[in-house]
C-alpha cells in the first residue's frame, strides 16, 4: 500500500485500514482489503470518491454471498454500504430499494403490500446491489425481468440512473461487472393488487425448496459455475467425480454439486484450486467449458 492510504478524504463514515474481509463473505476466507470504507450516506460516499486518488481501484461488496476473496487480500478500497442504504419503499407501480437491502427482505415487503413479481428474491441470500450487478435469479426469473432502473454512483462520485436496457443484462451478468460502478438502489415494476397471503405463500414455497436442495447453512458462495448452454453445471461436476471429494479443505457439496464449500478450514487457494481443477477435468472428459459464476477477486 502506498501514499494514497495516508491521504484519504475526510468522511463521516468509517475507514478501516488492512481490514479483514473474510467475516464479510459467506466462504469466510481471504486476506484483508488495503482500505475498507463504510460510508455514512450517499453524500459521504460521493465526497470520498471525489477526493480519492483516481488511480486507486474501488470494489463494492454486498454481503459476500457470491465472492471469493483471495488469500493475498484486495488492492485499493472496498466499499460496503450499510443501514442508510437499505430503505425499501412500496408504491402502486412497484417498489424502490436501497442497494444494501437484502433480497429476501425486499421480497417480503413487496408481498405484504400485495405486489407480485419478486417472490424469487426470497431464494437469493444477497443484497439488491449484488442482485443488480449479477442479474441474480432463480426458479425461472431473473432480476432483469422486474427491474425498471438502477441508480449508480460512478468512480468520480456522480449519480446516474441507468435503465434496464442500459444495464445490458445477460445470464448472471450486467454491464456493472465491467465498470465497477456502485449501485445505490433499484426500482422494480411489479404487479399490484394481489392478495398478500397468496404472494407470501409463494415465498414460503421457495424458501422450503431451498432448504432441501441447497447447503444454505454452509460456508459457500452459491452456484460455482454458470450452466453451460444445454448442460447443468452440477451434473458435469458430479459426472467428473467431484461431488463430496476434498481438495485441501474445500469440496463440492454432497447436497448440490455446483455449490463449493469451505468444509474444513479451507483457504481461498483451496477453493479456487478445486474449481480450476474441476474445470480442467470437465474440459478434458466432456469437452465442455465451465465458466465461473462466483466472483474471484484479490491478490493470490
Ligand atoms: C446459499 C446460496 C444460494 C444462492 N442462490 C442463488 C440463486 O438462486 N440465484 C442467484 O442468482 N444467486 C444465488 N447465490 C449467489 C448470490 O447470492 C447472488 O449472486 C447475490 O446477488 C450476490 O449478492 P451480494 O450482496 O452477496 O453480493 P457480493 O457477493 O458481495 O458481490 C457480488 C458481486 O456484486 C458486486 N456488488 C455487490 N454490491 C454491489 C453494489 N452495491 N454496487 C455494485 N456492485 C456490487 C460485487 O462487486 C461483486 O462483483 C447464492 C449464494 C448462496 C451463498
Amino acid at each position: 500500500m502506498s501514499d494514497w492510504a495516508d491521504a484519504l478524504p475526510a468522511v463521516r463514515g468509517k475507514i478501516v485500514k488492512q481490514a479483514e474481509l473474510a467475516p464479510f463473505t459467506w466462504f469466510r476466507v481471504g486476506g484483508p482489503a488495503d482500505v475498507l470504507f463504510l460510508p455514512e450516506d450517499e453524500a459521504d460516499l460521493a465526497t470520498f470518491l471525489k477526493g480519492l486518488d483516481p488511480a486507486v481501484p474501488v470494489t463494492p461488496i454486498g454481503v459476500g454471498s457470491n465472492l471469493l476473496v483471495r488469500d493475498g487480500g484486495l488492492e485499493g478500497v472496498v466499499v460496503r454500504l450499510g443501514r442508510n442504504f437499505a430503505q425499501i419503499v412500496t408504491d402502486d407501480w412497484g417498489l424502490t430499494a436501497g442497494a444494501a437491502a437484502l433480497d429476501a427482505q425486499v421480497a417480503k415487503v413487496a408481498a405484504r403490500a400485495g405486489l407480485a413479481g419478486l417472490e424469487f428474491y426470497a431464494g437469493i441470500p444477497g443484497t439488491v446491489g449484488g442482485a443488480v450487478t449479477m442479474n441474480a435469479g432463480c426458479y425461472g426469473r431473473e432480476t432483469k425481468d422486474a427491474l425498471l432502473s438502477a441508480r449508480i454512483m460512478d468512480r468520480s462520485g456522480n449519480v446516474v440512473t441507468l435503465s434496464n436496457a442500459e444495464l445490458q443484462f445477460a445470464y448472471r451478468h450486467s454491464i456493472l461487472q465491467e465498470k465497477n460502478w456502485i449501485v445505490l438502489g433499484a426500482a422494480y415494476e411489479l404487479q399490484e393488487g394481489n392478495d398478500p397471503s397468496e404472494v407470501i405463500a409463494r415465498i414460503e414455497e421457495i424458501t422450503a425448496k431451498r432448504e432441501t436442495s441447497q447447503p444454505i447453512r454452509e460456508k459457500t458462495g452459491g452456484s460455482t459455475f454458470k450452466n453451460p448452454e444445454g448442460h447443468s453445471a452440477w451434473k458435469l461436476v458430479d459426472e467428473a467425480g467431484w461431488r463430496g471429494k476434498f481438495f485441501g479443505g474445500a469440496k463440492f457439496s454432497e447436497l448440490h454439486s455446483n455449490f463449493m464449500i469451505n468444509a474444513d478450514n479451507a483457504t481461498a487457494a483451496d477453493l479456487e484450486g478445486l474449481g480450476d481443477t474441476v474445470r480442467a477435468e470437465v474440459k478434458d472428459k466432456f469437452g465442455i467449458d465451465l465458466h465461473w459464476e462466483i466472483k474471484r477477486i484479490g491478490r493470490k
Side-chain angles (χ1 to χ4, degrees):
M1 202 183 350
S2 56
D3 300 346
W4 65 265
D6 295 323
L8 294 170
V11 288
R12 286 172 287 120
K14 198 171 163 193
I15 288 177
V16 187
K17 292 184 186 169
Q18 288 302 308
E20 283 306 319
L21 291 178
F24 293 117
T25 71
W26 270 58
F27 275 128
R28 295 285 190 273
V29 299
D34 288 344
V35 168
L36 171 69
F37 176 43
L38 310 163
E40 181 61 26
D41 52 33
E42 273 185 40
D44 199 34
L45 179 58
T47 302
F48 182 84
L49 291 174
K50 284 181 204 290
L52 181 69
D53 177 346
V56 176
V58 173
T59 307
I61 63 167
V63 288
S65 62
N66 208 36
L67 273 187
L68 180 56
V69 177
R70 295 193 177 106
D71 299 311
L74 205 56
E75 189 190 346
V77 176
V78 167
V79 173
R80 192 167 193 267
L81 307 179
R83 212 179 316 127
N84 289 341
F85 293 83
Q87 291 92 341
I88 305 170
V89 180
T90 57
D91 211 316
D92 52 9
W93 51 265
L95 66 75
T96 54
L102 290 173
D103 301 331
Q105 188 60 22
V106 174
K108 263 189 222 159
V109 171
R112 282 192 215 117
L115 294 164
L118 270 185
E119 295 88 297
F120 71 100
Y121 264 22
I124 302 167
T127 61
V128 163
V132 175
T133 306
M134 297 301 300
N135 185 23
C138 57
Y139 305 119
R141 274 179 75 80
E142 297 178 305
T143 296
K144 76 168 171 53
D145 299 329
L147 190 111
L148 269 179
S149 60
R151 289 179 66 246
I152 61 109
M153 192 175 284
D154 68 17
R155 179 60 181 78
S156 310
N158 306 306
V159 177
V160 187
T161 298
L162 296 180
S163 67
N164 184 310
E166 285 169 325
L167 286 158
Q168 297 180 27
F169 286 120
Y171 172 48
R172 299 298 171 264
H173 187 268
S174 76
I175 193 172
L176 297 168
Q177 289 176 29
E178 279 102 61
K179 298 285 184 188
N180 255 4
W181 290 332
I182 300 175
V183 178
L184 301 171
Y188 299 88
E189 188 174 29
L190 304 172
Q191 296 83 51
E192 60 164 332
N194 294 272
D195 178 350
S197 64
E198 282 175 15
V199 190
I200 289 166
R202 285 199 290 277
I203 285 181
E204 282 167 358
E205 210 177 293
I206 285 171
T207 313
K209 222 190 249 181
R210 250 166 52 82
E211 290 268 344
T212 53
S213 60
Q214 296 179 359
I216 57 172
R217 276 172 241 300
E218 303 280 357
K219 296 176 195 146
T220 180
S223 293
T224 306
F225 305 118
K226 298 181 187 185
N227 286 321
E229 192 77 37
H231 298 274
S232 297
W234 71 263
K235 229 182 222 172
L236 293 166
V237 174
D238 193 22
E239 285 167 1
W242 280 93
R243 185 190 285 262
K245 191 163 135 190
F246 272 89
F247 184 99
K251 65 175 183 177
F252 277 91
S253 161
E254 277 94 348
L255 183 61
H256 191 314
S257 56
N258 194 25
F259 277 53
M260 263 195 321
I261 290 177
N262 170 4
D264 185 14
N265 294 312
T267 59
D270 290 344
L271 289 154
E272 189 166 18
L274 170 62
D276 281 338
T277 301
V278 172
R279 286 179 68 225
E281 285 196 16
V282 165
K283 177 72 178 170
D284 206 37
K285 282 187 178 158
F286 311 119
I288 298 169
D289 287 310
L290 283 173
H291 295 284
W292 284 93
E293 180 170 326
I294 288 173
K295 296 277 154 216
R296 291 149 301 125
I297 56 175
R299 299 172 276 234
K300 284 200 176 174

